[in-house]
């Protein structure tokens, strides 16, 4: 090991010793080389004291850097990049506050199993533990919200740590990995050569294989079922297993219900697609789950938003759980058969052995349940001149030909998007499911756009969540990242308002929220802004936004007190849903649909 | 509600900074209650062995094992509760024993196969190894004399007979130390 170079104004020149292939590099230079070797093309970050050596070495690399306005944005951009592309997203931040600002984004990636690597600067190793300026114990802070994390204090450990981080983040059940690198490790110069050999981690076994007997048992359970239902979860999207799921459905004729993160994993327009399940799932889906005699759960984890009351959940169904993570088996719902492993590999082994399941009566029964919902669906009502979020999202779907890459925030609009934007392809809906992180949409969409520059990327956000990370508009402007932004603006923190209406006696405490003038806000950033107050204006606005070269905000002024239906109250039985009042009761005083207050 | 039964896990972990923290954090985060935890070296350099005693029914025990496996630094885990095994705690007890009481205390210790390891003017330090029951038994007997201090190790455990699954897994994965027989 060469003597460390600590003079940041005079970084050593790269020199190659031809005899060995070794180069003399600083730890900072090694960071970028190791990231390039992992195939990284873009990172999202923000400089600061403890990461300055790395930033100083950045111009020597081919990697593009996107300067965010808050590190939370960097983590969400890395997350959106990863969800859209299936590759690992990278965020970079300094120590202390830079690192802690990443925390929400890391926790979000953890809950949704998204592969991101966060590279953070740390105070020099000699100062660790001294409460130095901008020191936080970041591996300590992120221990419960990362798949793994590493503290690196020597230049020679940087490359192996980054290799490990990428391998752990992307293999098995993916997740976030933090690599915290001290400033002295970044400044130290060593003889370096990239080691392309595979990562060896004796305690890490991401791959599992189901036993042949278990596969046989699964086939028998499937063929014996009379009222079967398949669950398509996020695992189908993650494993790129959509075509195998289609094959399974074509062979067996079993209908498919989807989780929020599974949407797009099975085409919404397929005749066997039922739609979303759970708290705001379609009523016929939840009813069917409660009546089913077999659930084949593919890559999902029986989240409480999916099951409602566990004691009364799917009481008649045998359950087959196809799952990558053994710790998920029997965590929430006791299952009859667990197939451990990659869902794609398991489907590949399962599909050749299954045959058509005679469940025509069952499918007809589920179809018959849809009629009651259709009469309540406001999107089918004639245009009354009022603008409902359902109209906006349905029309957005129509005028983007269902092909947009949509990134939602969290709240009512998120559920309306799930209900009304029909996704036929995986990785075209990115949403914060597990953590429910408001502020996710804009930065995640920017990351998605970096991954998929030819996609028509749409942010759908509420007026509350959008304001949480709206500072990233400046990043859109500076970095020329083009996304379209539909703000479903109802002047409330709508989902909380809805709960206040249903469960807290209508006391709207701290939920009315004021917005800036979004048209002026867009203009202030050198971007475009539009306002829509009538359904008849939606189409032109959507088309204008798509045609604009720069990021465009559309401020959709929607009904202020509309609610998301159906709704299974938290912890209630899945079949006990609050339904949208039928249109004929529209004039009743308790009707939750009110006219938009015109605040122009 | 019945108290959940005690389960004993043996885990081999990489001997690295922060590994104990990761394990403790996992138990706290998943709301698993640790009764006893012991870490120490093994015959293989770089590998530590933990014995963890937890309150858990069968289902929880399986989830604890699965969650431990998710930690990258955990090499192998085995629930040895139901296997024939040897379970030991070690305790040092400092008891008030003035010269006139000393021989009485020593006699009682002999019954428990405890050894006196230090004698002071008014005190005896007694060392005992055994199951938790045995240690509690001695403690109860010594209580009337006046127990001045006590310290106890965590439980250590090992299966009887041939090599355990957890230990065997280390042999398979480790390239260092142990050559294949």
């Amino acid at each position: 090991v060469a003597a460390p170079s600590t003079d940041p104004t005079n970084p050593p020149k790269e020199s190659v010793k031809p005899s060995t292939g070794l180069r003399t590099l600083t730890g900072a230079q090694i960071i970028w080389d190791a990231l390039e070797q992992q195939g990284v093309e873009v990172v999202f970050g923000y400089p600061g004291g403890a990461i300055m050596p790395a930033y100083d070495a950045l111009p020597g690399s081919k990697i593009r850097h996107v300067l965010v306005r808050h590190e939370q944005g960097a983590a969400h951009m890395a997350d959106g990049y990863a969800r859209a592309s299936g590759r690992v997203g990278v965020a970079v931040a300094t120590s202390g506050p830079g690192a802690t600002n990443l925390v929400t984004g890391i926790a979000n990636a953890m809950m949704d199993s998204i592969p991101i690597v966060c590279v953070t600067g740390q105070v020099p190793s000699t100062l660790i533990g001294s409460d130095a300026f901008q020191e936080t114990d970041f591996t300590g802070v992120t221990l419960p919200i990362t798949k793994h994390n590493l503290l690196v204090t020597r230049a020679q450990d940087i490359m192996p740590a980054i290799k490990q981080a990428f391998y752990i983040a992307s293999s098995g059940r993916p997740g976030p990995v933090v690599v915290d690198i001290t400033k002295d490790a970044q400044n130290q110069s060593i003889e370096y050569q990239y080691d392309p050999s595979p990562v060896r981690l004796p305690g890490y076994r991401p791959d599992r294989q189901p036993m042949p007997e278990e596969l046989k048992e699964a086939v028998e359970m499937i063929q014996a079922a009379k009222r079967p239902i398949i669950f398509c979860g996020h695992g189908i999207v993650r494993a790129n297993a959509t075509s195998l799921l289609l094959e399974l459905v074509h062979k067996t004729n079993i209908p498919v219900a989807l989780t929020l993160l599974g949407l797009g994993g099975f085409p919404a327009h397929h005749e066997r697609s039922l739609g979303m399940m759970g708290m705001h799932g379609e009523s016929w889906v939840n009813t069917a789950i409660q009546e089913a005699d077999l659930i084949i759960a593919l890559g999902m984890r029986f989240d409480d938003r999916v099951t409602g009351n566990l004691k009364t959940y799917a009481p008649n169904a045998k359950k087959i759980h196809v799952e990558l993570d053994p710790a998920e088996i029997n965590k929430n719902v006791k299952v009859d058969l667990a197939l451990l492993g990659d869902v794609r590999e398991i489907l590949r082994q399962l599909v050749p052995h299954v045959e058509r399941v005679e469940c025509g009566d069952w499918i007809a029964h589920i179809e018959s349940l849809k009629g009651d919902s259709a009469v309540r669906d406001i999107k089918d009502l004639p245009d009354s001149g009022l603008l409902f979020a359902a109209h906006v999202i349905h029309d957005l779907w129509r005028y983007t030909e269902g092909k947009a890459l949509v990134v939602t925030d969290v709240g009512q609009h998120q559920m309306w998007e799930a209900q009304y934007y029909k996704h036929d392809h995986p990785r075209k809906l990115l949403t914060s499911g597990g953590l429910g992180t408001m502020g996710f949409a804009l930065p995640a969409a920017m990351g998605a756009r970096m991954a998929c520059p030819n996609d028509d990327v749409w942010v759908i956000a509420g007026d509350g969540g959008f304001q949480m990370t709206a500072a990233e508009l400046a990043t859109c402007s500076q970095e020329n990242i083009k996304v379209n932004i539909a703000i479903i603006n109802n002047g409330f923190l709508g989902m909380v308002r809805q709960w206040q209406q249903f469960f807290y006696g209508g006391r709207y405490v701290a939920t009315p929220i004021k917005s800036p003038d979004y048209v002026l806000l867009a203009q202030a950033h050198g971007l475009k802004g539009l306002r829509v107050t009538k359904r008849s204006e939606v189409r032109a606005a959507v088309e204008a936004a798509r045609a604009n070269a720069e990021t465009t905000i559309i401020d959709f002024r929607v009904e202020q007190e509309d609610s998301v239906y159906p709704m299974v109250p938290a912890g209630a039985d899945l079949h006990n849903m609050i339904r949208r009042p039928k249109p004929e009761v529209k004039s009743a005083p308790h009707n939750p649909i009110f006219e938009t207050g015109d605040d122009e | 509600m019945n108290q959940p039964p005690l389960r004993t896990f043996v885990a081999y972990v990489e001997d690295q900074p922060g590994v104990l923290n990761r394990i403790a954090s996992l138990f706290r985060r998943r709301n698993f209650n640790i009764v006893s935890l012991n870490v120490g070296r093994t015959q293989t350099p770089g590998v530590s062995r933990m014995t963890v005693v937890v309150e858990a029914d069968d289902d929880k025990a399986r989830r604890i094992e699965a969650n431990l496996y998710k930690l990258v630094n955990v090499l192998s885990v085995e629930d040895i509760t139901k296997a024939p095994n040897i379970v030991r705690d070690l305790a040092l007890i400092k008891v008030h024993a003035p010269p006139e009481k000393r021989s009485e205390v020593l006699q009682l210790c002999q019954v428990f196969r405890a050894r006196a390891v230090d004698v002071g003017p008014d005190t005896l330090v007694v060392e005992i190894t055994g199951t938790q029951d045995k240690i509690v038994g001695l403690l109860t007997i010594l209580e009337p004399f006046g127990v001045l201090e006590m310290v106890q190790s965590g439980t250590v455990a090992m299966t009887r007979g041939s090599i355990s699954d957890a230990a065997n897994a280390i042999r398979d994965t480790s390239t260092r130390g142990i050559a294949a027989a």
Side-chain angles (χ1 to χ4, degrees):
Chain A
V1 177
S5 154
T6 49
D7 179 6
T9 59
N10 184 23
K13 294 283 178 295
E14 188 180 318
S15 65
V16 184
K17 292 187 182 166
S19 54
T20 59
L22 287 172
R23 296 180 289 167
T24 305
L25 294 190
T26 62
Q29 291 169 313
I30 292 169
I31 292 173
W32 300 113
D33 184 74
L35 289 173
E36 274 183 30
Q37 296 285 350
Q38 312 309 311
V40 174
E41 290 164 357
V42 59
V43 300
F44 308 93
Y46 204 102
I51 194 76
M52 278 189 70
Y55 272 85
D56 192 46
L58 176 59
S61 148
K62 292 193 280 286
I63 292 172
R64 174 171 173 189
H65 180 267
V66 171
L67 176 67
V68 301
R69 291 301 178 273
H70 185 288
E71 291 85 350
Q72 181 186 350
H76 289 327
M77 286 179 209
D79 178 317
Y81 180 92
R83 289 183 205 238
S85 66
R87 301 202 298 271
V88 178
V90 182
V92 180
T94 191
S95 64
T100 56
N101 279 347
L102 292 170
V103 163
T104 301
I106 295 171
N108 187 71
M110 185 68 177
M111 285 291 262
D112 287 350
S113 306
I114 305 302
I116 65 170
V117 168
C118 297
V119 177
T120 49
Q122 180 56 276
V123 300
S125 58
T126 48
L127 293 181
I128 284 182
S130 72
D131 301 321
F133 178 65
Q134 294 195 329
E135 180 186 3
T136 50
D137 169 15
F138 199 50
T139 45
V141 166
T142 56
L143 197 144
I145 53 162
T146 48
K147 187 173 173 189
H148 193 57
N149 61 27
L150 301 122
L151 171 64
V152 181
T153 57
R154 302 185 305 177
Q156 69 256 43
D157 298 332
I158 290 175
M159 180 263 290
I162 286 176
K163 277 176 66 185
Q164 271 188 33
F166 274 73
Y167 174 58
I168 292 169
S170 59
S171 56
R173 181 179 181 174
V177 179
V178 164
V179 185
D180 197 27
I181 307 174
T182 59
K183 195 172 184 178
D184 50 339
Q186 297 171 47
N187 282 327
Q188 191 183 8
S189 289
I190 59 164
E191 306 274 283
Y192 167 82
Q193 185 174 30
Y194 185 75
D195 170 14
S197 66
V199 174
R200 264 196 77 257
L201 290 167
Y204 181 67
R205 271 145 293 175
D207 304 317
R208 283 166 190 277
Q209 287 287 326
M211 300 289 137
E213 313 87 69
E214 292 167 344
L215 283 163
K216 191 160 166 274
E217 198 182 336
V219 172
E220 284 165 7
M221 286 168 77
I222 291 168
Q223 301 309 146
K226 299 275 183 291
R227 299 187 306 281
I229 187 164
I230 291 170
F231 287 178
C232 168
H234 192 197
I236 293 288
V237 176
R238 180 208 65 80
N240 302 316
T242 296
S243 56
L244 280 161
L245 174 57
L246 277 163
E247 259 191 75
L248 177 71
V249 174
H250 289 160
K251 285 189 80 175
T252 60
N253 201 35
I254 300 174
V256 179
L258 299 98
T259 67
L260 175 65
L261 292 186
L263 293 175
F266 188 76
H269 284 89
H270 193 283
E271 60 172 349
R272 287 287 84 83
S273 174
L274 297 177
M276 188 171 72
M277 65 179 95
M279 181 175 271
H280 294 294
E282 310 291 1
S283 63
W284 61 86
V285 179
N286 289 343
T287 305
I289 289 168
Q290 295 300 76
E291 295 176 1
D293 71 350
L294 178 69
I295 287 170
I296 305 152
L298 305 177
M300 54 84 74
R301 61 185 175 90
F302 293 103
D303 180 85
D304 58 83
R305 259 34 182 180
V306 152
T307 62
N309 183 1
L310 287 170
K311 290 198 177 72
T312 58
Y313 179 68
N316 309 309
K318 292 206 161 169
K319 295 160 191 98
I320 301 173
H321 196 180
V322 178
E323 171 59 49
L324 190 54
D325 180 357
E328 290 296 344
I329 304 298
N330 294 332
K331 185 180 81 177
N332 298 334
V333 171
K334 284 256 186 203
V335 297
D336 299 273
L337 177 65
L339 300 180
L340 278 175
D342 181 80
V343 66
R344 183 186 163 96
E345 179 57 26
I346 290 171
L347 286 179
R348 204 184 58 74
Q349 293 181 35
L350 192 66
V351 167
H353 302 288
V354 293
E355 289 167 16
R356 191 177 172 87
V357 177
E358 291 310 328
C359 55
D361 293 350
W362 168 238
I363 290 164
H365 170 64
I366 299 173
E367 285 300 315
S368 74
L369 297 171
K370 291 184 178 177
D372 181 49
S373 296
V375 299
R376 297 170 193 261
D377 191 341
I378 55 170
K379 94 171 188 312
D380 298 330
L381 292 176
D383 186 356
S384 61
L386 305 177
L387 187 61
F388 285 90
H391 296 154
V392 174
I393 290 161
H394 177 71
D395 291 355
L396 192 57
W397 166 75
R398 196 156 34 154
Y399 302 129
T400 55
E401 297 102 42
K403 290 176 184 158
L405 193 166
V406 181
V407 186
T408 75
D409 219 76
V410 170
Q412 287 185 314
H413 70 277
Q414 179 188 31
M415 295 297 112
W416 281 316
E417 199 283 347
Q419 293 174 343
Y420 290 105
Y421 200 108
K422 303 297 180 189
H423 290 278
D424 287 324
H425 299 284
R427 300 189 190 279
K428 298 300 175 200
L429 166 61
L430 316 184
T431 192
S432 166
L435 197 67
T437 309
M438 289 173 70
F440 172 77
L442 175 61
M446 293 162 66
R449 173 76 179 185
M450 294 300 293
C452 307
N454 299 319
D455 272 45
D456 180 20
V457 177
W458 280 83
V459 170
I460 299 181
D463 44 328
F466 183 76
Q467 290 186 68
M468 283 196 174
T469 50
E472 301 304 341
L473 287 171
T475 309
C476 281
S477 178
Q478 182 174 353
E479 303 278 346
N480 289 317
I481 301 172
K482 152 75 176 173
V483 294
N484 298 312
I485 301 166
I487 300 177
I488 307 299
N489 183 353
N490 57 11
F492 277 104
L493 301 176
M495 188 60 92
V496 180
R497 185 212 58 76
Q498 175 173 341
W499 283 50
Q500 288 171 333
Q501 180 193 333
F502 289 0
F503 313 121
Y504 292 88
R507 295 179 295 278
Y508 292 171
V509 179
T511 45
I513 184 166
K514 192 175 174 184
S515 280
D517 182 322
Y518 289 115
V519 176
L520 290 178
L521 181 68
Q523 287 168 5
H525 286 291
L527 307 172
K528 293 270 165 62
L530 301 158
R531 180 164 296 120
V532 169
T533 56
K534 297 189 192 65
R535 190 171 192 179
S536 57
E537 300 165 348
V538 174
R539 180 175 193 165
V542 169
E543 287 172 353
R546 295 177 78 191
N548 284 342
E550 57 280 90
T551 287
T552 304
I553 300 177
I554 311 175
D555 176 15
F556 288 103
R557 297 293 182 88
V558 298
E559 292 303 295
Q560 291 202 284
E561 298 185 46
D562 192 12
S563 293
V564 182
Y565 299 96
M567 177 176 192
V568 182
D573 306 332
L574 193 60
H575 50 277
N576 287 333
M577 290 164 272
I578 303 172
R579 304 295 306 277
R580 181 177 283 279
K582 286 188 183 170
E584 53 264 30
V585 298
K586 202 170 179 181
S587 58
H590 62 270
N591 185 338
I593 303 164
F594 294 88
E595 292 204 356
T596 307
D598 189 1
D599 53 359
E600 287 295 301
Chain B
M1 283 283 277
N2 290 333
Q3 192 88 347
L6 294 182
R7 312 292 291 226
T8 306
F9 292 90
V10 167
Y12 281 91
V13 302
E14 290 178 293
D15 179 15
Q16 282 181 8
V19 173
L20 182 59
N21 190 15
R22 287 178 199 278
I23 304 229
S25 171
L26 166 70
F27 279 84
R28 178 191 53 76
R29 144 112 174 79
R30 296 283 176 191
N31 205 13
F32 303 139
N33 191 21
I34 298 178
V35 175
S36 159
L37 190 151
N38 176 285
V39 201
R41 288 188 193 161
T42 64
Q43 77 278 22
T44 312
V47 175
S48 299
R49 177 163 161 150
M50 303 181 96
T51 307
V52 193
V53 183
V54 194
E55 288 174 1
D57 56 23
D58 282 359
D59 198 45
K60 202 169 186 178
R62 206 200 52 72
R63 277 191 295 123
I64 290 171
E65 194 175 330
N67 275 293
L68 281 170
Y69 265 118
K70 285 172 74 169
L71 298 178
V72 172
N73 306 116
V74 172
L75 301 170
S76 69
V77 186
E78 191 178 0
D79 179 355
I80 65 161
T81 313
K82 289 175 180 170
N85 57 39
I86 304 146
V87 178
R88 292 289 181 269
D89 280 55
L90 178 135
L92 298 174
I93 303 168
K94 188 176 283 177
V95 61
H96 182 66
E100 66 273 18
K101 296 279 183 191
R102 200 177 282 154
S103 60
E104 192 183 344
V105 171
L106 285 170
Q107 269 180 5
L108 288 168
C109 287
Q110 225 165 30
V111 177
F112 285 86
R113 298 197 187 151
R115 307 189 292 136
V117 288
D118 180 70
V119 186
D122 288 322
T123 59
L124 272 175
V125 178
V126 177
E127 173 193 312
I128 179 169
T129 58
T131 59
Q132 189 61 28
D133 289 353
K134 186 175 160 189
I135 293 170
V136 170
L138 176 63
L139 202 61
T140 313
I141 295 299
L142 295 181
E143 204 66 53
F145 297 93
V147 172
L148 304 172
E149 280 184 51
M150 169 174 175
V151 62
Q152 204 178 328
S153 72
T155 302
V156 294
M158 187 178 276
T159 56
R160 293 177 185 275
S162 56
I163 186 166
S164 68
D165 292 347
N168 212 21
I170 303 308
R171 253 161 65 139
D172 293 344
T173 53
S174 174
T175 55
R176 294 171 304 209
I178 310 165

